[in-house]
Amino acid sequence: MVTIHRKSNFMLVTAHSQLGEAYLNLKWFEQSLEHLTRALKLNANLLNEVEETKDYHTHLLTMLGRCYLEAGNYKDSRALLEKSLAMNKQVNGEDSLTSCPALQLLSKLGVKEKQFDSAFALLEKVTEIYEKTHSDQIGFISAEMAKIARKQERLDKAVALQTKALAQF
């Protein structure tokens, strides 16, 4: 256990979170789960003390959902991502920019489970949010939507979305 003198315990939360994300990017799921879970537990203890912990809690839930998704545990992934979205809605309101990562991961989960209609609808919602904020991510989302449309054999839609994606870059 690490003791941080005269510093907020939130510093320890971010350290574990960053280690968890680093391990996740390396596909070292066991280590990632260990650090992200520890960060989530530590953060939960700070929810009433430090204001930024509420937003960070949704981020941690999303990262844990991503870890389970990439490790192939779709049931736990979905539960964590939906919990992240529910908490994000409470903290930041409906259709917040901060909900987009969880929505995108839920869409990716939908594709893996061959639920193409729901996956596509989630990305449409992400697109609406990004368009309101003039995000530079619209091209990437359009390209993902084109892939889903192709899997649905909606070729005209796939071509239109790919064209939209290329126009963004």
Side-chain angles (χ1 to χ4, degrees):
M1 188 71 182
V2 176
T3 303
I4 304 173
H5 300 285
R6 291 185 237 161
K7 302 277 186 186
S8 168
N9 282 337
F10 188 64
M11 180 183 255
L12 192 54
V13 171
T14 57
H16 278 293
S17 172
Q18 290 169 356
L19 280 169
E21 286 187 58
Y23 282 127
L24 180 54
N25 290 334
L26 293 169
K27 309 288 187 215
W28 294 0
F29 303 123
E30 189 175 319
Q31 294 87 345
S32 178
L33 283 173
E34 180 182 329
H35 285 286
L36 290 171
T37 301
R38 186 170 293 152
L40 187 71
K41 288 177 182 177
L42 290 168
N43 197 63
N45 294 331
L46 300 173
L47 282 175
N48 295 325
E49 297 173 26
V50 182
E51 184 60 33
E52 60 220 3
T53 58
K54 291 176 184 171
D55 263 336
Y56 212 72
H57 211 74
T58 63
H59 170 72
L60 291 168
L61 289 168
T62 300
M63 286 296 98
L64 278 164
R66 176 182 160 210
C67 188
Y68 279 111
L69 173 64
E70 292 185 19
N73 184 339
Y74 300 156
K75 181 181 176 186
D76 288 340
S77 176
R78 180 174 302 284
L80 287 161
L81 293 170
E82 287 174 352
K83 186 174 182 178
S84 173
L85 283 174
M87 186 173 192
N88 191 52
K89 184 178 178 181
Q90 288 178 332
V91 174
N92 298 310
E94 187 77 30
D95 297 336
S96 165
L97 187 61
T98 56
S99 67
C100 289
L103 290 168
Q104 288 173 257
L105 288 167
L106 277 171
S107 174
K108 188 175 182 179
L109 176 60
V111 169
K112 289 192 179 286
E113 295 178 332
K114 304 207 182 312
Q115 298 174 356
F116 300 122
D117 290 338
S118 65
F120 195 87
L122 287 166
L123 290 182
E124 285 180 320
K125 186 172 184 172
V126 171
T127 300
E128 289 173 19
I129 295 168
Y130 280 156
E131 285 175 345
K132 290 178 188 173
T133 62
H134 306 288
S135 173
D136 59 352
Q137 296 297 306
I138 294 171
F140 296 109
I141 300 303
S142 296
E144 288 302 311
M145 291 173 73
K147 289 178 191 175
I148 295 170
R150 170 62 185 101
K151 289 178 183 194
Q152 293 174 304
E153 297 184 11
R154 296 169 46 197
L155 299 180
D156 289 345
K157 185 74 171 171
V159 169
L161 286 163
Q162 194 63 45
T163 302
K164 180 179 177 180
L166 290 170
Q168 297 292 318
F169 297 114

